[in-house]
Each structure stands twice: as C-alpha cells, then as structure tokens.
C-alpha cells in the first residue's frame, strides 16, 4: 500500500571495447526534423555524415566524433544537425524519399508531386521533384528519373553498378545506374537513368 514499486536502477554501461558495437540516440534540435512521418536515412562512407529526410526537410548529421577540431567533444555529446534542403525538394511532397548510393556516396532526394483532385479520392501523378548531391547537401543538381505522369505513389530510388557486359559507366553516373520505381494503383513503373 506504499504506491508502485520502485523500478530497478539502470545498470552501469560496460566500457567501450574495440570491435564491440555501441549505440547512441541523436535527436535533432527543436524546429527541424519534426515532420518525419516517412523518414529515410543515408550515410556517406567517405565524409562520415548521415543524410536524413523528414517531410520537406533534408538534414545533414555530423556525429560527435567527426566534429572539428577532432577530439574536442566527448563521444556522447549531441550531433550537429543542419538543414541542407534544396529549393526544389522542399516545396511540396506526398512521399519524401532519400537514398545514398554506398558506392558513389551520392545522395538522391525525391518528393512525390501528386495531387488529389477536388471531390475525388484518386491521386493523379504529375511527377516527382528530385535532386542529388555529391557533397552532403552543400550543393544540389536537379534530376529527373521517373516517367512523366507515369505514377503517383510509393516511389523509391536505388542505384547499383552496371554488369560488366553493359559498359554504360560515365563521369556523370560514376559507374552506377540509378533506378526509380513507383506505383499507379495496381500498376508499377520503373525507370533507369544512365546520366
């Protein structure tokens, strides 16, 4: 009758050891990254920065161990969150999608540009608003991979190397084809970009 039982104390975490995974939670500061109903995340293996999309905001995350000067902050401090949204992909969206190609470290952002006509529950696909960055959002290049008015929902972006028998690699695509797929009801559409 003395109230709810006292919860057991939180155990002391084991010290970090080489090769043993550690996990941290990093939350963005207030006012950014809050509208993230369908978030996506990518990671640049060279710069060690994460890219995160939350609604219309594209965010770059620098983790504490990569802040400069090196070693100036403890390992458990907050990450640096920066809004690096591109004007084209922060305007309108039905579905936000972000993908980082692990071979080229190029990040793609796609915002589905669909509409629901008045008095109709059916989506009409106009296109998607798309861009890519090779420098973690410092600069963006507008892109278009999907077929015009070809689909209106649940898009996704992926990339991968061409087979050796299909030598289509070039300086623009860095040797990887980019794929875009989405659906229009029961029909799905996919396209490939070589440039």
């Amino acid at each position: 009758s003395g109230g709810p039982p006292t919860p057991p104390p939180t155990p002391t975490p084991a010290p970090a050891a080489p090769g043993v995974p550690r996990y941290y939670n990093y939350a963005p500061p207030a006012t950014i990254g809050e509208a993230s109903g369908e978030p996506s995340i990518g990671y640049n293996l060279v710069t060690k920065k994460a890219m995160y999309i939350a609604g219309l905001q594209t965010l770059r995350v620098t983790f504490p161990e990569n802040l400069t000067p090196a070693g100036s902050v403890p390992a458990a401090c907050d990450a640096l969150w920066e809004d690096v949204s591109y004007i084209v992909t922060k305007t309108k969206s039905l579905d936000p999608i972000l993908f980082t190609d692990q071979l080229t470290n190029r990040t793609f952002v796609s915002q589905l540009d669909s509409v629901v006509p008045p008095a109709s529950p059916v989506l009409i696909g106009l296109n998607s608003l798309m861009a890519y960055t090779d420098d973690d959002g410092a600069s963006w290049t507008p892109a278009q991979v999907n077929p015009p008015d070809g689909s209106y929902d649940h898009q996704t972006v992926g990339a991968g190397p061409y087979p050796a028998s299909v030598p289509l690699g070039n300086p623009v695509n860095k040797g990887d084809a980019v794929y875009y797929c989405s659906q229009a009801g029961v029909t799905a559409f996919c396209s490939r970009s070589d440039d």
Side-chain angles (χ1 to χ4, degrees):
S1 73
T6 304
T10 303
T12 303
V20 177
R22 295 180 297 158
Y23 301 93
Y24 294 102
N25 290 323
Y26 297 103
T31 73
I32 68 170
E34 294 176 343
S36 55
E38 294 184 357
S40 299
I41 190 166
Y43 186 72
N44 185 321
L45 296 168
V46 173
T47 65
K48 300 186 180 349
K49 294 181 188 295
M51 298 293 285
Y52 176 79
I53 194 163
L56 294 172
Q57 291 180 318
T58 303
L59 307 175
R60 176 177 53 219
V61 185
T62 306
F63 297 105
E65 62 271 20
N66 299 314
L67 292 172
T68 55
S72 65
V73 294
C77 83
D78 291 333
L80 174 64
W81 292 76
E82 299 170 281
D83 187 338
V84 294
S85 302
Y86 180 52
I87 187 69
V88 171
T89 59
K90 71 176 187 178
T91 305
K92 177 184 178 188
S93 183
L94 177 66
D95 278 335
I97 296 295
L98 179 143
F99 167 75
T100 300
D101 184 342
Q102 294 290 284
L103 295 177
T104 66
N105 292 300
R106 177 175 281 173
T107 296
F108 297 86
V109 169
S110 172
Q111 297 283 9
L112 204 54
D113 184 18
S114 299
V115 296
V116 179
S120 171
V122 178
L123 294 170
I124 296 176
L126 299 175
N127 220 314
S128 72
L129 308 170
M130 192 170 187
Y132 68 86
T133 179
D134 288 322
D135 53 17
D136 302 321
S139 63
W140 291 92
T141 301
Q144 196 54 55
V145 180
N146 68 311
D149 203 28
S151 51
Y152 56 74
D153 205 6
H154 299 297
Q155 88 280 24
T156 192
V157 179
Y162 293 95
S165 61
V166 184
L168 293 176
N170 60 57
V172 175
N173 66 29
K174 297 184 176 187
D176 274 11
V178 178
Y179 301 92
Y180 177 98
C181 295
S182 57
Q183 70 176 29
V186 295
T187 304
F189 295 91
C190 290
S191 56
R192 181 186 81 201
S193 173
D194 298 322
D195 61 6

